[in-house]
Structures are given as C-alpha cells and as structure tokens.
Amino acid sequence: MTQANNLQSLLESVAAGEVDPAVALEKFKHLGYETVGDFARIDSDRTRRTGFPEVIWGQDKTPDQIAQIMETMRLHSPVVMATRINSNVYAQLETLVTGLQYYPAARICALSPETVTPQYPGIISILAAGTADLPVAEEAAVTATLCGFQVQRLWDVGVAGIHRLLNNRHVIDSANVLIAVAGMEGALPSVVAGLADCPVIAVPTSIGYGANFGGLAPLLTMLNSCAAGVGVVNIDNGFGAAILAGQILRTAAKLNKL
C-alpha cells in the first residue's frame, strides 16, 4: 500500500470513529516519507517526530544523487545539510543546486538562511585537543549552529599543554553541554569532565600514530574514563555529538516548561 493510501485509510478510520484522533496523530509519525528516484526515501516527517531534520550522509553518494535529495528536502525544511562533502564534490554540487553554502573545514554543505538564529537556550562548547582534530570538531560546531544552537569553539587545548585549557576555563564554566574532541590517546574528555558541571560528550578521532588504531585507542580511553558524566560517540562522529548535545538542551527546555 502506498503512503497516500495509508494516509487516506487512516483518515477514513478517524472519520468513522474507529480510530481515536490521538492514536491517529501518533501513527502520522510513521507516514511521512517521499521517494527520490529509485535510490532514496526522504524522511520528511523527522523534524516533527524527533526535533531534527534528516541529514544527508554525502560520502559514497554521487553528486547527482545528493543534488536530487537536497532539492526534495528543501521543500520540507528551511535547513538541508549534507555531511562528508569534499571540495571536489562540492564543486560539482554547486552547479546543480542553487543557493548552496559550503563549510570546508567541517566538510558540510547546506541550504540555509545566511544567518541562523539560535532557537534554543543554552550553550554548547566544543573543545578540540589538536589542530588535526578540527575537521571533526568543526563538523560538530557547524551541525549544532545550523540546528539552531549557540556554539563556543576552543581549539588546540590538548593535555600535552594543559595550561592552554586551564587558561580558558571560562569556556568550560559557561557551557551547558560540552563536546570534547581528541585523537592520540584521547585524554581530553576525562580532564574536562573533572572540571565541568554539565554533561560531556566525548568524540574520539582517527588522528594518531600506529597504536592509535584509527581511533580505537582514544575510543577505549574515553569509554574507560574515570570521570563521571561522560558519554561517548563513535570515532570521528562530530555530527552525532552535536545532535546528542542538541537533544540534551531541547530536553532541558521542555522540562523547564513543566
């Protein structure tokens, strides 16, 4: 049965008194998708269901596929994002999609207003241990900004020179959620969590020498943190860290309204 037929059947059941409107509303959460070609189904209802729109994983998709998906998504959302977009792919996308913006450090391209005003209270502070960790840290920062959150950045404050972190303690103190991005041995989140009074999201990166094992070493360090209040996302997953931080702030805002 097609999406349109499902919707019609549900509405007819409500009209006939067979389905309670509240139950129907819950079912609506699972009806909203749109087919693009023969390669994608766009979850156009995700914003209402989860609070955040669907985001395109750009790596391993062709520029034409990404362009078609973005053109469909822009009909449903004021912000459309594609992650893991290198400069060569963006150069092709720019000719296919009008109004596209590119954030090269974050490897993100987006359709969005020129200025995105924060929609939610609270501050997400993002800390990067080293300059080599910036692509992942910027992915988190740009994602959080485009999703409507206020972001503070603090780069190159790894534990090899911990005074750099301690001299910027105000960035930690003013945060409502912290994202700590680190490769090598991945010690930064433990240090930050020992100083912070808010949740800390740890992001291991694949930056490091051989025994880093492509990010496995910092991932295990973060999972074994002796500091309380640390949550860990997957290796190089700056996007996932930003969405988790956003969900924390959105939940806090909802609780404040109770």
Side-chain angles (χ1 to χ4, degrees):
M1 185 178 287
T2 67
Q3 180 188 351
N5 288 337
N6 281 328
L7 179 58
Q8 182 177 348
S9 176
L10 181 59
L11 292 174
E12 288 174 352
S13 296
V14 173
E18 298 169 356
V19 175
D20 184 88
V23 174
L25 180 61
E26 188 65 24
K27 289 181 179 292
F28 272 127
K29 295 180 180 180
H30 308 288
L31 291 177
Y33 71 87
E34 184 172 348
T35 301
V36 179
D38 60 354
F39 54 84
R41 288 180 173 84
I42 305 305
D43 186 359
S44 56
D45 196 47
R46 189 175 299 188
T47 300
R48 188 186 63 81
R49 195 174 67 246
T50 71
F52 296 98
E54 185 172 20
V55 171
I56 303 162
W57 169 263
Q59 186 176 315
D60 304 317
K61 289 185 177 70
T62 68
D64 186 61
Q65 288 173 335
I66 297 169
Q68 289 186 58
I69 294 170
M70 295 191 89
E71 291 291 359
T72 300
M73 292 178 67
R74 80 192 307 174
L75 302 175
H76 303 285
S77 176
V79 176
V80 178
M81 285 177 52
T83 63
R84 301 302 169 95
I85 302 294
N86 64 42
S87 57
N88 291 331
V89 172
Y90 171 69
Q92 297 176 67
L93 285 174
E94 194 177 18
T95 66
L96 300 172
V97 181
T98 59
L100 201 58
Q101 300 178 57
Y102 187 49
Y103 304 86
R107 299 168 295 181
I108 287 174
C109 64
L111 294 166
S112 68
E114 287 189 13
T115 302
V116 180
T117 304
Q119 303 174 38
Y120 304 97
I123 297 173
I124 300 172
S125 287
I126 304 174
L127 283 57
T131 304
D133 299 311
L134 287 188
V136 177
E138 275 292 337
E139 181 179 79
V142 172
T143 297
T145 300
L146 291 175
C147 286
F149 296 93
Q150 184 177 347
V151 170
Q152 289 187 114
R153 293 169 168 84
L154 182 59
W155 300 159
D156 199 20
V157 288
V159 299
I162 201 168
H163 56 291
R164 298 172 299 182
L165 176 66
L166 299 178
N167 286 345
N168 290 277
R169 178 69 184 269
H170 63 282
V171 177
I172 297 174
D173 293 341
S174 61
N176 300 107
V177 183
L178 280 154
I179 297 174
V181 182
M184 296 294 185
E185 84 294 348
L188 179 63
S190 290
V191 174
V192 170
L195 301 171
D197 64 352
C198 64
V200 176
I201 301 169
V203 188
T205 74
S206 52
I207 299 301
Y209 293 104
N212 171 272
F213 294 113
L216 183 59
L219 171 64
L220 294 175
T221 296
M222 294 171 186
L223 288 171
N224 284 284
S225 175
C226 62
V230 177
V232 186
V233 299
N234 207 348
I235 298 166
D236 291 336
N237 192 8
F239 166 78
I243 296 299
L244 177 55
Q247 289 287 33
I248 291 170
L249 291 184
R250 286 183 67 251
T251 299
K254 287 192 293 185
L255 291 174
N256 285 335
K257 294 178 181 178
L258 295 178

